[in-house]
Amino acid sequence: MPERTVTIASAIGLHARPASLFCQAAARTGVPVILTAPSGASVNAASILGVLSLGLDHGETVTLQADGEGAEGALASLVRLLETDLDQQ
Amino acid sequence: MDDPKTSAKRSRRTISPIGGLLAPSCIAVDAHAGSVADAVRLVGTMLVAADAVDSSYVQAMLEREESISTFVGEGIAFPHATSAAQGSVHRDAIALARFPAGVDWNGQTVHVAIGIAAIGRGHIGILSQLASALLVPHAAARLRSATTPEEVLELLRSTA
């Protein structure tokens, strides 16, 4: 399964605005994407509650996985989002 | 399965169990709000009354909500302020209002709003614990239909 690792760039961590923007983007890809925290816990990247439950802070490295048609493109777009400080836009 | 207290949290200070952050006086099980702003003010005012935040924190919560919705799905929203409002937080606390009639939250219907105040980066741990509690099967539905503060506390204690 294609996967990418990325470090959370948002200064406040992945919640609030960054989490909303990320989950909306994940849902828009139309591809099921799995987000895995350093702890090994995995959630549906399009679920805000799921993403919040991971408690991801700035500087933590996560893994994104997706399968099927469009998976590579979906992962690339979500990696770009997480590499951006989403609270500064 | 998903343990929220694993490596991601190791470097952070210990966070009180969620139930302990929710004073019985900060639970309104039969609330009514005509708008998102009313709902945010309601939970914010409970945090002020509990002396967890200054009154200026409520305005900061409203500004955050205008910037981006804190709706998280399952009929639940987590209103909180930006880190810019740090100075107005006295201690970690949450306040919960249940709206049996629902509140139109920018097109989504919210039945439970949980206002969050946290010192430093404590909000990440609090949000994580709340979200983990609500991801337990049926927990969100039980919270939406809880009719007493005791039920709310029991629910958050038993699942968080």
Side-chain angles (χ1 to χ4, degrees):
Chain A
M1 188 185 290
E3 75 172 50
R4 300 278 301 268
T5 58
V6 57
T7 300
I8 306 290
S10 288
I12 63 166
L14 197 57
H15 68 99
R17 183 180 181 81
S20 296
L21 295 175
F22 174 76
C23 292
Q24 285 166 17
R28 271 199 309 272
T29 65
V31 178
V33 179
I34 298 163
L35 172 68
T36 304
S39 63
S42 291
V43 300
N44 170 3
S47 160
I48 299 183
L49 277 177
V51 170
L52 290 179
S53 74
L54 298 179
L56 295 166
D57 205 346
H58 170 80
E60 291 192 294
T61 299
V62 298
T63 305
L64 289 166
Q65 293 175 305
D67 212 353
E69 197 175 338
E72 298 280 2
L75 292 182
S77 67
L78 295 175
V79 163
R80 273 197 302 278
L81 265 185
L82 293 181
E83 285 174 338
T84 310
D85 190 345
L86 297 169
D87 210 38
Q88 300 302 319
Q89 295 184 327
Chain B
M1 35 168 270
D2 296 359
D3 181 357
K5 295 186 196 65
T6 42
S7 62
K9 299 283 188 321
R10 222 175 279 144
S11 59
R12 289 178 206 134
R13 70 197 164 84
T14 306
I15 291 156
S16 335
I18 280 299
L21 297 179
L22 182 59
S25 67
C26 284
I27 303 174
V29 290
D30 193 14
H32 177 83
S35 66
V36 172
D38 278 355
V40 172
R41 268 188 219 103
L42 199 151
V43 292
T45 302
M46 288 195 285
L47 291 171
V48 174
D51 204 25
V53 298
D54 289 337
S55 55
S56 61
Y57 189 79
V58 182
Q59 186 56 37
M61 291 173 90
L62 289 166
E63 283 164 16
R64 160 63 86 189
E65 202 64 50
E66 275 169 29
S67 155
I68 192 154
S69 171
T70 60
F71 178 75
V72 294
E74 290 277 6
I76 293 166
F78 289 162
H80 60 286
T82 62
S83 50
Q86 269 303 309
S88 49
V89 179
H90 306 160
R91 62 181 173 85
D92 292 356
I94 60 179
L96 184 149
R98 176 175 164 265
F99 304 103
V103 179
D104 180 350
W105 211 277
N106 309 307
Q108 309 279 358
T109 301
V110 162
H111 286 283
V112 177
I114 304 178
I116 298 165
I119 290 176
R121 303 182 78 78
H123 52 273
I124 295 178
I126 295 173
L127 285 165
S128 168
Q129 290 183 62
L130 280 174
S132 299
L134 295 172
L135 284 169
V136 170
H138 313 301
R142 285 172 57 202
L143 186 62
R144 289 194 299 270
S145 59
T147 53
T148 65
E150 292 71 28
E151 260 180 273
V152 169
L153 283 168
E154 185 57 38
L155 183 59
L156 292 177
R157 282 202 192 104
S158 58
T159 53

